[in-house]
Amino acid sequence: RKNDNRHTGKVKSGEANAGSGMAKLLDITRANNIAIQLKAFNDFTLRALAETINDLDPDSKIVGERVQFIPQLLPTPKELQAIKKYKGESDRLNTAELFFQQLLPVKRVEDKVAVVKAMCTFNEHAEEARAAFKTLEEVCGQVMNSAKLEQILLMVLNIGNLMNEGSLDGGVE
């Protein structure tokens, strides 16, 4: 019986499967999931998507939900090794393997994806922070202008003075 690690999550060797003619370098489930997620980028070729990531998406083409897909599309170190070792024809690779092949020349791809994601979500996060600071400013204004708080603090001061000196003013104003 042949050793079939299709469902083990392990990366396959660079040898082709004799039955189908496909290289099958990646776990089939992972390859299918990546292919499905890549459909969100139908307006890109695989090379163009890799180049856009490498150039940090200067035209802001990767926006919205698509920016959330990008980290899931990145190869693991084992997957990268399998792609690097493969010396066969590109037409024997599935979509995920072809995409990983396009990502090979991209240096620090994880960092670049994080930068693209941060650039895409920056305005949204800045607006959330702006709203939180506005709320904080309003609350601070209410505290500073609160007559009741001033009365409570004056009572606390008088009680402290009375406890310290035995008189109402206790020498503190």
Side-chain angles (χ1 to χ4, degrees):
R1 185 180 151 175
K2 274 181 132 176
N3 183 14
D4 182 16
N5 39 344
R6 221 179 322 174
H7 301 290
T8 62
K10 296 182 180 174
V11 175
K12 309 293 193 286
S13 71
E15 297 301 314
N17 181 310
S20 70
M22 297 302 288
K24 296 187 180 179
L25 303 175
L26 306 177
D27 173 68
I28 191 71
T29 304
R30 169 106 163 111
N32 286 339
N33 288 340
I34 291 169
I36 290 166
Q37 290 173 332
L38 281 170
K39 288 183 181 182
F41 300 93
N42 274 342
D43 53 328
F44 289 91
T45 64
L46 296 178
R47 177 179 298 252
L49 182 56
E51 288 172 355
T52 300
I53 291 169
N54 189 45
D55 296 340
L56 300 175
D57 193 18
D59 299 324
S60 299
K61 292 180 180 178
I62 303 173
V63 293
E65 290 181 0
R66 295 188 337 167
V67 105
Q68 305 303 322
F69 290 140
I70 296 284
Q72 299 163 12
L73 295 175
L74 298 180
T76 65
K78 284 183 179 180
E79 291 168 339
L80 273 179
Q81 281 304 111
I83 298 297
K84 284 179 185 177
K85 286 181 186 177
Y86 180 70
K87 302 298 181 205
E89 296 295 321
S90 291
D91 62 349
R92 296 178 67 202
L93 298 176
N94 62 39
T95 304
E97 294 163 346
L98 288 168
F99 178 61
F100 287 176
Q101 197 175 50
Q102 295 300 317
L103 286 177
L104 284 177
V106 178
K107 304 291 185 220
R108 299 178 320 277
V109 68
E110 295 88 1
D111 294 336
K112 288 182 178 184
V113 165
V115 168
V116 168
K117 190 172 179 182
M119 288 179 0
C120 182
T121 59
F122 179 80
N123 288 337
E124 179 183 335
H125 290 155
E127 190 56 43
E128 289 172 6
R130 196 174 291 118
F133 282 123
K134 183 175 172 78
T135 302
L136 181 62
E137 183 180 28
E138 289 172 5
V139 169
C140 287
Q142 289 174 0
V143 168
M144 296 299 290
N145 297 322
S146 172
K148 288 183 181 182
L149 180 61
E150 186 177 343
Q151 291 172 349
I152 291 172
L153 292 176
L154 186 57
M155 280 193 278
V156 169
L157 176 66
N158 287 335
I159 291 171
N161 286 340
L162 187 60
M163 290 172 61
N164 286 336
E165 297 289 329
S167 69
L168 274 179
D169 65 357
V172 178
E173 295 180 15

